[in-house]
Amino acid sequence: MKLNNSKKILLNLLFKNEAYRNQLQKSLKVTPSTLSYILDNLKKKGYITVLKSESETVGRPKHIIKMDKDFWKSIGIRIGRESVNLTVFNGYFEEEEKISIKLTKNDIGNENISKIIEKIIKKVSFLDKIKAIGIALSGNIDKDKANSKILKLENFNPLYIIKKLLPNTAVSLLNDVEAIATEEFVKHGGKKILVVNYGTGIGACFYESHGIYEKSERKIIELGHFYAGTNEKCYCGATGCLETIASDYANLKRYKFSNLKIEDFILNEELYNNDLDELRNLHKIYEKKAKEIYNESFKYLAIFLTNIFKLFNPEKIILSGEGVTKWFSNELERKINSISTFPVSLTYRGLKNNIEFGAAVDALREYILKSNL
């Protein structure tokens, strides 16, 4: 697909939120008159907004170019084991509407998840204004199909559901850790990022940017299903996966439920929510006990993350997910640096990441790339 200057401008604004004229001119390597022509055309079509800078300058006022607030409405959807969450964003990526539907074990599977996606999208106000919808979930994504043991999805394709409701909308399907990595790149920068999403499962994504206009690489790392040398059978069908020994499940098993099996836990996760909350906050009231419970997990995580660091050499490692606390991040960093010959620092994000944001950005990128500009 041809990446012309109009698309380059819109991608700039999507990934950087706003830009000055001189920044766009330098990036596109065009003359001022050519840039003015392109911007005027985009403005007439309602794609962009040109604002005067509020900062004081000598001479002509600077103009800030942004994506139009009302034209570029998008939706990000996160499908998790506990709930389906939807957020509507405007062109400034301000949140305009949030909808959530709780899930139980009776709500998962292809047919049930399809019905819930349709139900939650129908709740959105002004659906006709939506340009793109991004869907992020935990599982393996192969083009337009998702497979997830946790959600009991097999060759799941949600695109037909959305196209039935909104035939002209761009749709993007991605792993939830990919969505986090995309948000991290947009909001916090960095050309080489490793995101680790930790909770009842363990996922990772390496994001390497080669520039806004060039192909960027997102490598999904099935960290939770790396072989860790144990004898327990995982819900994925393999034996000895890292999730069986170093996830929130493993920590909960050490804490309260010594006979718990991972497949039973995944199937009935909502029954353990209170116990998980208690476990994740244990360090606040009984740190010595928390260190004993998490020690094995920190040991295995430190080994695997040190090896991944050596392979990819990321600029930063981000820890996200419901199972991560600031205490967890500090203790894991300490453990990693006790075995590593080079310093490794972790950026604690916890639940601050907005998966729906990353999914919506990814979907709008698809819309821009495939549009006839």
Side-chain angles (χ1 to χ4, degrees), residues 81 102-109 111-113 116 152 267-268 270:
R81 177 59 183 81
K102 289 285 184 183
L103 298 182
T104 69
K105 65 179 181 181
N106 297 320
D107 298 317
I108 58 179
E111 186 177 348
N112 293 326
I113 294 293
I116 289 171
K152 288 192 173 180
L267 185 62
N268 301 289
E270 62 269 15

Side-chain angles (χ1 to χ4, degrees), residues 5-13 18-26 28 30-51 62-68:
N5 284 331
S6 293
K7 291 184 179 181
K8 288 181 179 180
I9 288 173
L10 293 174
L11 289 174
N12 246 299
L13 301 180
E18 61 184 31
Y20 288 109
R21 286 180 60 100
N22 61 341
Q23 291 173 329
L24 291 175
Q25 187 179 327
K26 182 179 179 181
L28 270 61
V30 296
T31 64
S33 59
T34 298
L35 180 63
S36 294
Y37 174 80
I38 298 169
L39 291 178
D40 287 343
N41 188 45
L42 290 173
K43 189 177 178 182
K44 285 176 184 177
K45 292 180 178 179
Y47 296 162
I48 64 171
T49 300
V50 181
L51 306 169
K62 286 189 175 182
H63 290 97
I64 298 172
I65 295 92
K66 297 173 71 77
M67 297 180 79
D68 185 80

Side-chain angles (χ1 to χ4, degrees), residues 340-367:
S340 175
T341 56
F342 46 87
V344 177
S345 63
L346 305 179
T347 300
Y348 166 67
R349 205 72 78 198
L351 290 174
K352 293 179 182 177
N353 282 110
N354 189 329
I355 291 176
E356 294 100 290
F357 176 96
V361 167
D362 194 71
L364 267 185
R365 183 177 184 274
E366 287 298 307
Y367 180 91

Side-chain angles (χ1 to χ4, degrees), residues 6 23 52 58 66 80-81 90 106 112 114 195 197 251 255 262 264 302 314 325 329 349 360 366:
S6 293
Q23 291 173 329
K52 287 185 179 179
V58 178
K66 297 173 71 77
R81 177 59 183 81
N90 62 29
N106 297 320
N112 293 326
S114 296
V195 173
N197 196 34
N251 300 323
Y255 181 45
I262 193 166
D264 294 332
T325 61
S329 180
R349 205 72 78 198
E366 287 298 307

Side-chain angles (χ1 to χ4, degrees), residues 22 24 48 81 104 116 158 177 183 194 210 229 241 251 254 270 274 291-292 305 311 365:
N22 61 341
L24 291 175
I48 64 171
R81 177 59 183 81
T104 69
I116 289 171
V177 194
E183 187 215 17
L194 177 65
H210 301 290
C241 291
N251 300 323
R254 297 183 192 105
E270 62 269 15
N274 292 336
K291 285 183 176 180
E292 290 175 1
L305 289 180
L311 283 172
R365 183 177 184 274

Side-chain angles (χ1 to χ4, degrees), residues 181 184-185 189-195 205-207 314 316 318:
E184 281 289 335
F185 175 71
K191 291 185 178 181
K192 295 171 73 177
I193 303 167
L194 177 65
V195 173
C205 178
F206 177 69
Y207 187 112
K316 57 182 177 180
I318 297 97

Side-chain angles (χ1 to χ4, degrees), residues 112-180:
N112 293 326
I113 294 293
S114 296
K115 289 177 181 177
I116 289 171
I117 291 174
E118 185 170 357
K119 180 181 178 181
I120 201 169
I121 290 175
K122 284 182 176 178
K123 289 177 177 285
V124 173
S125 307
F126 308 108
L127 259 184
D128 58 315
K129 291 183 175 290
I130 302 299
K131 296 292 183 291
I133 298 179
I135 299 177
L137 53 83
S138 177
N140 299 318
I141 311 298
D142 183 11
K143 296 181 180 178
D144 296 335
K145 293 181 180 179
N147 288 279
S148 172
K149 294 284 186 180
I150 292 175
L151 296 168
K152 288 192 173 180
L153 299 177
E154 294 184 12
N155 293 322
F156 177 64
N157 184 350
L159 274 65
Y160 81 93
I161 306 163
I162 297 172
K163 289 298 183 181
K164 181 174 66 174
L165 299 171
L166 299 165
N168 298 318
T169 301
V171 183
S172 175
L173 182 64
L174 65 165
N175 182 280
D176 53 4
V177 194
E178 283 185 283
I180 294 173

